[in-house]
């Protein structure tokens, strides 16, 4: 701190001999105003002044008054600065460290601790939450203790009173509290002066206790005592700290609420589609890993892009929830592993077997009506012929039902099913394979019809509409839009909006890579085997060459070996 005094040269030595302590260190004498204090010269001082020489005693008194006002202003400025710093920090652990750092700087304390109060009534507890010591270091362990006025922190919390103790080893016997010297004995330390201040918010609620140890003197750096001014300053700081801690705790509770909601949502997704269980978590792990790789790469296309901790959290939530819209898709479509569901397939196969027997009986009946005698050998031959044809048709149906690419031979063979009939229990002759089932068997690739594919793709829109309704905090506001674009492609051929490259957020581009990679390498899909790692990466590179995936991000995904987060090392 710089404290300027404008004073005639002939009067300087007289005053200098009488000025001591912190004021002497900060004192700078100047020849003319402007100055903090003006004595015996024209002009007004910022804090005190007299244009005529008032005499040594009065001049010293004016200097001291100006010094006190200067210190008050400095304290207020520091408090404002501390307040701004505390408001900007929302992580509770970092906030506690910042509070202690600023408090020790402001009050020149060698060490300090913060206790947080929790619980109600008899269940109230003090958490030894953070500590700093400039002289000694010992392993820090968070401990919880019951609130008792036998301890310094407990007394301050219960009675909402500050304690300013000059020597903790000389606490009067009649005082209800005692100093716990276990740390001093363990560390070989000597605690002397202690300032203990309850941290009360604007409503008077005690959230914790700020404890400062061993006030250091400016000149010697040795131990001193905390003044009444220090106590007032500490109480102001503790009030600011309480508000900041309350805000951080509320934010932490909101974050825990969101974490619980996201975890429950992922559970709901996986319960609806057990086949892809674990997919959301793996995609989140890969996407965040790719974003961290971007942060660690100072050059290239994304060299100047840095994802903050909040943005990484936003990205993780969007990745975990990217498939939540599947809850809006019909279950029979969502879990459809083959073209026909098992009941449809069984019905067709049963009808084919029935038709074979019906044709054999018709042939036998025709022979009898023509006057032929029963011939066991011919009957066996007819049954074998019908059975052989039935087995061929059943094999055709089973082969066509697989989600692999339908061969031209199988596609042509399905035409044989169009005119087949069987005897319904009503006596009617009906189509053996309904047109809808036949259309499903004719799907060229995969297990979904065009309508079913569009229904599956609609999960992205369902996801967006669901996430959009959630009142996200400001730093999570991008979750819906990031998830909405994870199936878009830079080529404009993605879905559901066919966005171009300029409209796809970089977070969604990263998620697209992670989503495709996990779909390829997943080992838990009953309808397909896992694609080997090298082949999966080659497929991703091919999609990047075709302009679908972001090439620089894919290069980072491979170079930083982000894929190893979920795929085995090779």
């Amino acid at each position: 701190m710089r404290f300027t005094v404008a004073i005639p040269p002939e009067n300087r030595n007289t005053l200098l001999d009488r000025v001591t302590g912190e004021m002497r260190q900060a004192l700078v004498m100047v020849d003319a105003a402007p100055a903090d204090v003006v004595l015996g010269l024209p002009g007004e001082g910022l804090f005190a002044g007299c244009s005529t020489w008032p005499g040594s005693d009065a001049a010293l008194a004016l200097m001291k008054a100006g010094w006190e006002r200067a210190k008050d202003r400095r304290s207020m400025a520091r408090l404002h600065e501390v307040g701004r710093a505390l408001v900007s920090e929302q992580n509770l652990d970092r906030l506690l460290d910042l509070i202690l750092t600023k408090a020790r700087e402001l009050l020149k304390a060698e060490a300090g601790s913060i206790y947080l109060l929790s619980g109600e009534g008899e269940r109230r507890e003090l958490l030894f939450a953070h500590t700093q010591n400039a002289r000694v270091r010992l392993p820090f362990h968070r401990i919880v203790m019951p609130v008792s006025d036998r301890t310094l922190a407990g007394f301050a919390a219960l009675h909402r009173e500050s304690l300013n103790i000059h020597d903790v080893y000389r606490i009067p016997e009649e005082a209800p509290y005692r100093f716990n010297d276990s740390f001093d004995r363990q560390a070989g330390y000597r605690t002397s002066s202690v300032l203990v201040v309850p941290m009360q918010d604007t409503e008077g609620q005690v959230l914790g206790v700020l404890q400062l140890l061993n006030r250091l003197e400016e000149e010697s750096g040795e131990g001193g005592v905390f003044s009444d001014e220090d106590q007032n300053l500490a109480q102001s700081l503790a009030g600011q700290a309480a508000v900041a801690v309350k805000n951080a705790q509320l934010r932490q509770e909101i974050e825990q609420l969101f974490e619980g909601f996201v975890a429950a949502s992922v559970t709901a997704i996986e319960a609806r589609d057990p086949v892809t269980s674990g997919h959301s978590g793996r995609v989140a792990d890969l996407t965040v890993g790719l974003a961290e790789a971007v942060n660690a790469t100072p050059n290239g296309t994304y060299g100047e892009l840095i994802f903050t901790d909040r943005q990484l959290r936003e990205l993780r939530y969007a990745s975990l929830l990217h498939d939540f819209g599947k809850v809006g898709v019909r279950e029979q479509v969502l879990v459809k592993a083959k073209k026909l569901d098992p009941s449809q397939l069984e019905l067709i196969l049963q009808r084919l077997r029935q038709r074979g027997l019906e044709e054999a009986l018709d042939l036998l009946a025709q022979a009898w009506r023509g006057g032929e005698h029963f011939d066991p050998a011919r009957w066996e031959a007819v049954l074998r012929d019908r059975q052989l044809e039935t087995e061929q048709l059943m094999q055709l149906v089973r082969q066509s039902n697989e989600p692999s690419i339908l061969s031209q031979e199988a596609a042509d063979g399905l035409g044989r099913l169009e005119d087949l009939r069987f005897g319904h229990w009503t006596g009617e002759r009906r189509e053996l394979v309904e047109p809808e089932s036949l259309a499903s068997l004719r799907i060229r690739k995969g297990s979904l019809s065009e309508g079913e594919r569009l229904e599956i793709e609609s999960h992205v829109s369902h996801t967006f509409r669901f996430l959009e309704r959630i009142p996200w905090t400001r730093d999570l506001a991008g979750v819906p839009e990031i998830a909405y674009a994870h199936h878009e492609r830079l080529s404009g051929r993605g879905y559901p909006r066919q966005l171009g490259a300029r409209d796809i957020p970089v977070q969604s581009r990263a998620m697209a890579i992670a989503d495709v990679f996990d779909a390829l390498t997943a080992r838990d899909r009953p309808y397909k085997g896992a694609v080997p790692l090298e082949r999966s990466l080659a497929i991703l590179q091919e999609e990047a060459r075709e302009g679908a995936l972001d090439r620089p991000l894919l290069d980072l995904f491979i170079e930083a070996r982000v894929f190893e987060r979920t795929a085995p090392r090779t």
Side-chain angles (χ1 to χ4, degrees):
M1 180 177 176
R2 188 171 183 265
F3 181 60
T4 59
V5 178
I7 186 173
E10 62 269 20
N11 301 120
R12 292 180 181 179
N13 290 337
T14 303
L15 286 183
L16 275 175
D17 292 339
R18 302 174 66 182
V19 176
T20 59
E22 186 181 357
M23 184 168 68
R24 176 62 180 268
Q25 290 184 323
L27 181 60
V28 176
M29 291 191 172
V30 297
D31 295 330
D36 296 325
V37 176
V38 177
L39 300 171
L41 293 172
E44 294 185 2
L46 180 62
F47 300 116
C50 183
S51 58
T52 59
W53 179 247
S56 297
D57 290 341
L60 181 61
L62 286 171
M63 282 180 61
K64 289 182 176 179
W67 171 246
E68 293 303 322
R69 292 188 63 189
K71 287 199 298 180
D72 287 343
R73 176 170 289 192
R74 180 188 63 174
S75 296
M76 290 303 103
R78 287 182 172 180
L79 277 176
H80 287 312
E81 178 186 341
V82 170
R84 287 193 297 270
L86 297 186
V87 167
S88 66
E89 182 54 70
Q90 296 177 329
N91 178 278
L92 184 58
D93 287 333
R94 292 197 297 265
L95 176 62
L96 296 178
D97 186 67
L98 181 62
I99 291 170
L100 269 187
T101 298
K102 294 298 183 181
R104 288 177 52 227
E105 289 176 359
L106 200 58
L107 295 162
K108 302 176 180 61
E110 184 175 61
S113 302
I114 290 181
Y115 299 82
L116 295 181
L117 188 63
S118 63
E120 297 290 339
E122 296 181 356
R123 295 186 176 182
R124 283 189 294 181
E125 296 176 325
L126 276 176
L127 169 66
F128 181 50
H130 205 75
T131 187
Q132 292 179 2
N133 194 308
R135 181 169 296 185
V136 298
R137 290 185 180 275
L138 283 179
F140 168 63
H141 302 287
R142 291 191 170 190
I143 58 173
V144 176
M145 63 194 77
V147 181
S148 167
D149 59 7
R150 295 287 297 167
T151 66
L152 303 183
F155 182 90
L158 288 174
H159 296 277
R160 305 185 181 195
E161 293 182 17
S162 297
L163 299 176
N164 189 349
I165 303 172
H166 292 180
D167 189 343
V168 292
Y169 287 94
R170 296 182 180 179
I171 295 176
E173 288 295 326
E174 63 270 17
Y177 44 78
R178 288 290 175 268
F179 172 67
N180 185 343
D181 65 350
S182 59
F183 175 80
D184 281 11
R185 288 186 282 104
Q186 184 181 3
Y189 187 67
R190 175 59 163 88
T191 302
S192 180
S193 57
V194 172
L195 184 57
V196 189
V197 183
M199 294 165 53
Q200 300 183 72
D201 64 14
T202 53
E203 299 175 353
Q205 180 185 2
V206 178
L207 300 181
V209 176
L210 173 63
Q211 182 171 279
L212 299 171
L213 283 64
N214 290 359
R215 210 307 189 164
L216 299 176
E217 295 293 349
E218 286 283 345
E219 295 180 351
S220 64
E222 297 299 324
V225 298
F226 293 100
S227 65
D228 292 341
E229 178 189 342
D230 291 335
Q231 181 174 328
N232 291 334
L233 194 58
Q235 288 172 168
S236 298
L237 174 61
Q240 288 184 327
V243 172
V245 166
K246 186 171 185 177
N247 289 339
Q249 288 176 332
L250 288 173
R251 183 178 184 83
Q252 193 174 63
E253 289 174 5
I254 291 172
E255 290 178 355
Q256 290 172 348
L257 177 65
F258 275 132
E259 286 288 341
F261 162 75
V262 171
S265 299
V266 171
T267 301
I269 298 167
E270 295 185 347
R272 190 78 196 285
D273 186 9
V275 165
T276 59
S277 177
H279 170 72
S280 297
R282 292 192 298 269
V283 169
D285 200 11
L286 291 169
T287 306
V288 172
L290 182 50
E292 290 172 345
V294 170
N295 285 352
T297 306
N299 47 32
T301 304
Y302 296 108
E304 296 182 0
L305 177 61
I306 295 293
F307 293 101
T308 65
D309 289 346
R310 295 181 190 179
Q311 289 173 321
L312 290 176
R313 182 164 164 263
E314 177 185 61
L315 181 56
R316 185 170 71 87
Y317 281 177
S319 302
L320 286 170
L321 297 171
H322 75 283
D323 275 345
F324 190 85
K326 287 182 176 179
V327 298
V329 178
R330 289 180 299 151
E331 187 171 2
Q332 61 265 37
V333 175
L334 190 64
V335 300
K336 189 178 181 184
K338 298 188 179 183
K339 298 175 184 179
L340 301 175
D341 66 48
S343 61
Q344 285 179 302
L345 176 63
E346 184 176 359
L347 186 59
I348 291 172
L349 297 181
Q350 180 62 39
R351 288 175 177 178
L352 284 171
R353 182 71 68 187
Q354 177 181 333
R355 171 187 171 274
L357 291 173
E358 288 174 350
E359 287 196 345
L361 287 173
D362 284 344
L363 289 174
L364 182 61
Q366 290 175 17
W368 287 348
R369 284 195 294 269
E372 296 183 25
H373 296 288
F374 176 73
D375 182 355
R378 184 180 177 190
W379 170 243
E380 292 293 336
V382 169
L383 282 179
R384 282 196 301 272
D385 289 345
R386 296 301 92 200
Q387 185 174 354
L388 179 61
E389 182 187 24
T390 297
E391 291 294 341
Q392 290 174 344
L393 291 173
M394 291 172 69
Q395 177 58 27
L396 173 64
V397 171
R398 282 192 290 260
Q399 177 185 346
S400 302
N401 191 44
E402 294 299 318
S404 55
I405 296 176
L406 185 68
S407 68
Q408 187 59 49
E409 180 183 358
D412 294 339
L414 289 174
R416 298 168 59 190
L417 301 176
E418 292 181 353
D419 299 325
L420 298 185
R421 299 289 186 271
F422 78 104
H424 191 258
W425 64 269
T426 61
E428 300 174 351
R429 299 292 293 175
R430 293 189 177 180
E431 294 175 322
L432 192 145
V433 183
E434 285 86 356
E436 295 81 4
S437 298
L438 191 57
S440 294
L441 290 172
R442 282 174 165 157
I443 294 172
R444 299 295 298 181
K445 181 181 180 181
S447 62
L448 301 175
S449 67
E450 181 63 16
E452 291 168 336
R453 183 184 63 79
L454 291 174
E455 187 174 350
I456 288 287
E457 289 182 0
S458 73
H459 83 274
V460 182
S461 298
H462 291 314
T463 294
F464 177 72
R465 285 194 290 269
F466 170 77
L467 296 179
E468 193 181 30
R469 297 181 65 86
I470 297 171
W472 300 100
T473 55
R474 184 178 303 175
D475 53 317
L476 296 175
V479 167
E481 190 61 41
I482 294 170
Y484 198 14
H486 79 275
H487 272 299
E488 301 291 349
R489 294 296 180 259
L490 306 189
S491 59
R493 296 180 179 178
Y495 64 87
R497 294 172 290 168
Q498 293 79 48
L499 296 180
R502 296 176 60 182
D503 298 320
I504 303 176
V506 65
Q507 297 96 320
S508 304
R509 300 181 184 201
M511 196 193 305
I513 293 172
D515 192 41
V516 173
F517 177 79
D518 187 70
L520 289 170
T521 57
R523 301 173 182 274
D524 51 6
R525 311 291 170 91
Y527 50 84
K528 75 169 191 67
V531 179
L533 176 61
E534 295 302 325
R535 175 59 184 152
S536 297
L537 296 178
I539 291 173
L540 289 174
Q541 289 174 320
E542 180 61 29
E543 291 206 23
R545 281 192 293 270
E546 292 175 356
L549 298 178
D550 189 303
R551 184 56 183 266
L553 282 178
L554 179 59
D555 289 343
L556 267 180
F557 184 82
I558 296 173
E559 291 167 9
R561 303 187 73 80
V562 176
F563 54 82
E564 289 184 348
R565 287 179 172 235
T566 60
R569 293 177 179 271
T570 59

